[in-house]
Amino acid sequence: MIAAEVRGLSKVYNAGGSRAFEALKNFDLSINANEFFTLLGPSGCGKTTLLRILGGFEALTEGTCTIFGQDVSRLPPEARPVNTVFQQYALFPHMSVRRNIAFGLEMLGTPRAETERRVDRMLALVHMSDYADRKPDTMSGGQRQRVALARALAPQPKLLLLDEPLSALDLKLRQKMRLELKALQRETGITFIFVTHDQEEALAMSDRIAVIDKGRLQQVGTPEDIYENPESRFVADFIGESNLLDARVSAVNGGEAALIVEGFADIRAPIGRPLAVGQLVSLSVRPERLILREAGQDVPGGIARVVARTYLGNAVEYHLVAGGQTLTAHAPRGGLRGLLDFVPGDTVSVGFEPGSIKVVSS
Ligand SMILES: Nc1ncnc2c1ncn2[C@@H]1O[C@H](COP(=O)(O)OP(=O)(O)OP(=O)(O)O)[C@@H](O)[C@H]1O
Ligand SMILES: [Mg+2]
């Protein structure tokens, strides 16, 4: 079943005015029921706008928006089976934490004993049991954020929209809450649409991720898909780290292309779409998939000069220059490659693990 769907969606702020701005451009997206779905992209790309349209807090300019099969394009927020945790957590200032969380349940006419039981459970979940009687303005940003989360979860909506709900938490608590939120989503079967600009958070929590840039949908897929098979330079660069190389197609043979990359020989990559001989393309290779050897040792690839070495604890990062292009390599500590250590000024042989080179669109 599909929980939420937008078709041909666009959003223009100040439409018709001199400051008209198109925040979302021709969006098509389907989110499955029971899915932990993440909207990921840099600041200003349109994540909050899309979430507010789904929640009914912002009108769409063109297209349709459906929730559990019902066209909700013209429905007010309270008529949608949806709860929202806003980026700016809006708690009722005059109510205690307990009453804030109970509010939605009371509105639904939940019996008092059941309400109290659920509130207690939510308080425990977000580690706020000791704060039940406090007022929001006596708490830190992270504490308020956790209460906002508990309040939205308590009535168990069919669809929960979460706009950067962990952003005010410190790293340790954020990591812990990631796991708990994910477990809670599994347990309750509530569909989560989760907004973040933190790619690590997105990879760790999501069933699928939509990557957005400048109001346009770039790619939708599982975390593994998005990381292993980025389709564009933007996605390769935004999700994790990537080496992006300029290349020219020299031959196409079945599902494989031979590529000319300055400073390298014998570069080949599988291709998922038609490419023409002579065409300019970009290649993406993850830093952990570079192979470094002492100069002269034969690896299919090229010769590079080490320009910097940075100790990262679990790995060593090398910056290399090969054929006028800059590359980053991560060599794990202790592994086979960890036995080698290079210093700036060294010349090394550099190659790529089989299957690690991806052709991406520019
Ligand atoms: N009410 C508004 N009027 C005009 N422009 C707006 C309005 N709200 C948002 N925008 C613009 O639309 C674009 C998308 O904004 P949005 O809040 O959706 O971004 P975001 O991806 O949530 O960013 P962030 O990660 O910083 O929260 C931005 O360029 C923003 O300036
Ligand atoms: Mg936002």
Side-chain angles (χ1 to χ4, degrees):
M1 198 194 342
I2 291 174
E5 184 165 51
V6 296
R7 288 274 157 247
L9 177 83
S10 65
K11 171 67 187 177
V12 182
Y13 285 112
N14 308 313
S18 58
R19 291 184 301 119
F21 177 78
E22 194 174 19
L24 294 174
K25 295 161 191 162
N26 197 20
F27 239 80
D28 291 317
L29 195 58
S30 288
I31 294 150
N32 299 318
N34 303 337
E35 204 169 21
F36 195 121
F37 193 93
T38 296
L39 306 175
L40 174 67
S43 182
C45 73
K47 305 179 295 292
T48 295
T49 302
L50 180 54
L51 213 65
R52 288 177 59 83
I53 289 172
L54 289 166
F57 302 98
E58 196 71 66
L60 50 80
T61 309
E62 266 179 67
T64 58
C65 173
T66 330
I67 291 177
F68 291 103
Q70 183 188 15
D71 184 343
V72 296
S73 307
R74 308 258 171 288
L75 283 187
E78 63 276 12
R80 305 183 182 203
V82 173
N83 265 3
T84 308
V85 179
F86 295 99
Q87 199 165 4
Q88 312 296 342
Y89 25 91
L91 296 173
F92 303 118
H94 56 286
M95 289 185 196
S96 68
V97 164
R98 173 174 292 281
R99 296 269 63 81
N100 260 285
I101 300 173
F103 183 79
L105 294 165
E106 285 162 0
M107 295 302 282
L108 291 172
T110 310
R112 196 183 169 85
E114 169 67 13
T115 297
E116 295 306 314
R117 204 167 35 241
R118 272 220 239 157
V119 170
D120 285 334
R121 176 146 180 265
M122 290 299 130
L123 282 167
L125 178 81
V126 298
H127 308 288
M128 291 296 288
S129 300
D130 294 344
Y131 292 78
D133 301 317
R134 295 272 282 268
K135 294 273 172 64
D137 63 0
T138 68
M139 301 187 308
S140 74
Q143 291 166 340
R144 278 183 246 179
Q145 202 167 37
R146 282 182 276 158
V147 175
L149 191 58
R151 188 178 62 172
L153 282 166
Q156 302 199 339
K158 285 168 78 180
L159 176 60
L160 187 61
L161 309 176
L162 302 131
D163 199 349
E164 312 226 16
L166 308 181
S167 61
L169 310 181
D170 64 61
L171 182 65
K172 280 275 177 250
L173 187 56
R174 196 157 73 219
Q175 287 170 337
K176 195 159 183 245
M177 289 292 294
R178 272 183 201 166
L179 297 176
E180 289 179 5
L181 259 189
K182 175 90 186 152
L184 186 91
Q185 190 268 335
R186 283 260 165 76
E187 243 172 67
T188 58
I190 299 174
T191 306
F192 276 30
I193 306 183
F194 183 91
V195 163
T196 183
H197 60 262
D198 180 338
Q199 44 104 5
E200 201 182 300
E201 194 164 282
L203 292 174
M205 298 177 79
S206 318
D207 294 318
R208 286 193 305 152
I209 300 171
V211 185
I212 306 171
D213 183 37
K214 299 196 192 81
R216 277 186 206 284
L217 183 60
Q218 298 288 317
Q219 190 171 346
V220 183
T222 63
E224 203 173 333
D225 261 349
I226 300 263
Y227 187 84
E228 298 293 341
N229 298 306
E231 287 166 6
S232 63
R233 272 184 93 103
F234 175 81
V235 174
D237 203 31
F238 188 71
I239 314 293
E241 268 185 81
S242 257
N243 290 295
L244 292 164
L245 301 170
D246 297 322
R248 186 184 289 278
V249 179
S250 62
V252 178
N253 202 339
E256 195 184 63
L259 298 140
I260 299 168
V261 183
E262 205 189 328
F264 292 89
D266 198 25
I267 300 292
R268 286 164 194 284
I271 51 174
R273 63 199 149 87
L275 291 178
V277 171
Q279 191 177 338
L280 291 174
V281 294
S282 299
L283 305 180
S284 159
V285 189
R286 299 294 182 190
E288 66 272 20
R289 304 201 64 184
L290 264 58
I291 302 167
L292 300 187
R293 294 279 182 270
E294 280 172 50
Q297 284 200 29
D298 203 21
V299 285
I303 299 293
R305 203 164 52 80
V306 177
V307 293
R309 175 192 183 277
T310 311
Y311 175 71
L312 298 179
N314 58 352
V316 178
E317 179 177 271
Y318 296 103
H319 286 267
L320 312 162
V321 174
Q325 312 210 51
T326 307
L327 295 169
T328 303
H330 286 174
R333 297 290 296 164
L336 257 188
R337 284 177 290 169
L339 297 174
L340 299 171
D341 206 0
F342 302 110
V343 294
D346 283 355
T347 300
V348 296
S349 289
V350 54
F352 305 100
E353 284 179 9
S356 63
I357 303 175
K358 311 286 173 185
V359 179
V360 297
S361 63
S362 298

